[in-house]
Amino acid sequence: ERELGALWAKKSNNGSQYMTGHIELKDASGKVQLVVFKNKSKYNEDGTVKSENAPDLRIYLSETKEQREKKPEASTASTASTAQDESGDLF
């Protein structure tokens, strides 16, 4: 009864790791599809932590294939590259 959802670790074609899954809001809108990326802006180029207060992971609403195809390609690519850590490691 306490579980809100589930996440699965995945690897993109370019080797970056991310998580995908869902949460279910029982008293609200139902199941919400998510995608989770490591917050690359938390770290300096050498891998040291830039800000201890920054979150480790960023959670986004997942888009369907149709929604992604309707967007201009540059917008989709910049969102993915901003959200992912260059090392590809989640933790």
Side-chain angles (χ1 to χ4, degrees):
E1 290 183 13
R2 291 181 20 225
E3 182 175 311
L4 295 176
L7 297 171
W8 288 262
K10 296 193 175 196
K11 191 175 281 193
S12 69
N13 291 339
N14 70 4
S16 296
Q17 291 181 325
Y18 65 98
M19 299 177 119
T20 183
H22 66 271
I23 59 172
E24 187 165 352
L25 306 172
K26 298 188 188 301
D27 295 336
S29 60
K31 193 179 281 190
V32 178
Q33 300 295 321
L34 305 170
V35 64
V36 182
F37 295 99
K38 186 173 182 180
N39 180 15
K40 79 172 194 174
S41 62
K42 178 176 180 149
Y43 302 94
N44 295 310
E45 288 183 23
D46 64 1
T48 59
V49 175
K50 185 188 307 182
S51 172
E52 288 291 337
N53 293 329
D56 294 302
L57 303 169
R58 295 266 183 202
I59 302 170
Y60 298 89
L61 287 174
S62 184
E63 296 178 326
T64 65
K65 183 178 179 181
E66 292 79 23
Q67 289 171 319
R68 287 191 305 271
E69 289 174 350
K70 287 181 183 177
K71 286 187 173 182
E73 216 172 293
S75 171
T76 305
S78 66
T79 302
S81 63
T82 301
Q84 293 179 13
D85 180 80
E86 292 169 2
S87 71
D89 296 330
L90 282 175
F91 305 101

